RNA sequence: CGCGGGGUGGAGCAGUCUGGUAGCUCGCAAGGCUCAUAACCUUGAGGUCCCGGGUUCAAAUCCCGGCCCCGCAA
């Protein structure tokens, strides 16, 4: 089939890569414009753009999705189907109805659960035992379109958003090709979503990473994994930002939430609302991430210290 | 030129403002102690203080240039 691909981040780039290696014809690619990124704020191309250019595929990166010149160009590519993977914008009806087969979307959850911008992170934060990928037709309501195919995967006990994404990206790429084949052969049947079972996974904000020490240790530990690699679960020590990259739930004597109950060679433990968290890998602002043992060697943190704002 | 912090024995850090014998915690080696230990005691090895210039009687420390790492931001 003749395909136009719309996507932006790394996970999407993998799907594009797989399409380019398939017999399908990728007529063009649409991605977000180069944005200032990294230190120095130099505009950097999106991962999808990088892959497209490497393969010499035409790329459009409109600032405004409704820009008439862009819509004309998109129409001129005359796709049979538009494949959308984490493009990063809500598409107007005009684009949804542009191709004969409409817009095919790869979503990284088992819909109707976790509709929205951050399905992977919230699945980890909520301690889900399984997640997966779904292909569906895009409709105007966010992630509410009829489901085409779905494939599940079990989460491991130490799953992070980063690790889960690594697993879901290739799964999604596989499912995408399978779905395209099914559409071409007429063997997939769209299935309406069960609205009553829908849940939402809103975009993660920087502030979501702030650790609330009054939560149960198990909940904090899940947030440590769910917010890796971004925004990272973090707190403050002595006025400085302290990121928690890895932690473990432990049993401990009662202490006010946020209080350091252990800071010696047996570990760095912090009291939570229920239980305590053994910090295993941390990172002080401006410094590298280090094991708690290394952190203890260089810092003067002691039992009784308080972590958190103020 | 987006803002800011940093590069000091194998690791993590202090010392730099107010130049003048290189320090802390840990690791490592040897010996000791203990039924035993991520235990403890003693001794020891190990450093071009990122690189290159400059100022000075003297530079980890002050000045100029460069390389690398990191936090914020996106």
């Amino acid at each position: 089939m003749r395909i136009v691909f719309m996507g932006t981040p790394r996970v999407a780039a993998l799907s594009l890569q797989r399409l380019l290696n398939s017999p399908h014809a990728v007529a063009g690619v649409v991605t977000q414009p180069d944005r200032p990124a990294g230190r120095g704020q130099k505009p950097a191309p999106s991962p999808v753009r990088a892959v497209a250019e490497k393969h010499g595929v035409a790329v459009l990166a409109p600032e405004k999705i409704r820009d008439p010149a862009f819509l004309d160009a998109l129409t001129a590519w005359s796709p049979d189907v538009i494949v959308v993977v984490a493009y990063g914008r809500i598409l107007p009806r005009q684009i949804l109805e542009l191709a004969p087969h409409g817009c095919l979307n790869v979503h990284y959850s088992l819909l109707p659960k976790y509709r929205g911008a951050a399905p992977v992170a919230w699945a980890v934060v909520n301690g889900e035992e399984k997640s997966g990928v779904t292909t569906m037709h895009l409709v105007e309501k966010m992630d509410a379109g009829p489901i085409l195919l779905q494939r599940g995967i079990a989460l491991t006990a130490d799953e992070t958003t980063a690790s889960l994404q690594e697993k879901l990206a290739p799964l999604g790429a596989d499912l995408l090709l399978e779905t395209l084949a099914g559409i071409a052969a007429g063997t997939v049947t769209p299935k309406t979503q069960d609205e009553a079972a829908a849940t939402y996974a809103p975009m993660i904000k920087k502030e979501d990473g702030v650790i609330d020490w009054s939560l149960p240790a198990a909940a904090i530990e899940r947030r440590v994994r769910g917010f890796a690699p971004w925004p990272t679960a973090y707190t403050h020590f002595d006025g400085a930002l302290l990121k928690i990259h890895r932690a473990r739930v432990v049993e401990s004597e009662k202490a006010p939430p946020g209080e350091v109950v252990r800071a010696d060679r047996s570990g760095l433990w912090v009291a939570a609302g229920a239980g305590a968290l053994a910090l295993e890998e941390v990172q002080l602002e401006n410094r590298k991430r280090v094991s708690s043992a290394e952190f203890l060697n260089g810092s003067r943190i002691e039992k009784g210290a308080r972590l958190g704002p103020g």
Side-chain angles (χ1 to χ4, degrees), chain A residues 162-198:
Chain A
S163 69
L164 187 52
Q165 265 168 353
E166 286 305 305
K167 294 172 189 171
L168 293 180
L171 205 62
D174 284 346
L175 199 66
L176 171 60
L177 290 179
E178 201 178 314
T179 304
L180 286 170
I183 290 174
T187 54
V188 293
T189 318
K191 232 170 41 188
T192 308
Q193 291 190 31
D194 175 5
E195 286 298 318

Side-chain angles (χ1 to χ4, degrees), chain A residues 79-91:
Chain A
D80 296 317
V81 62
I82 296 176
V83 171
V84 183
V85 185
Y87 171 64
R89 290 258 171 103
I90 309 273
L91 303 181

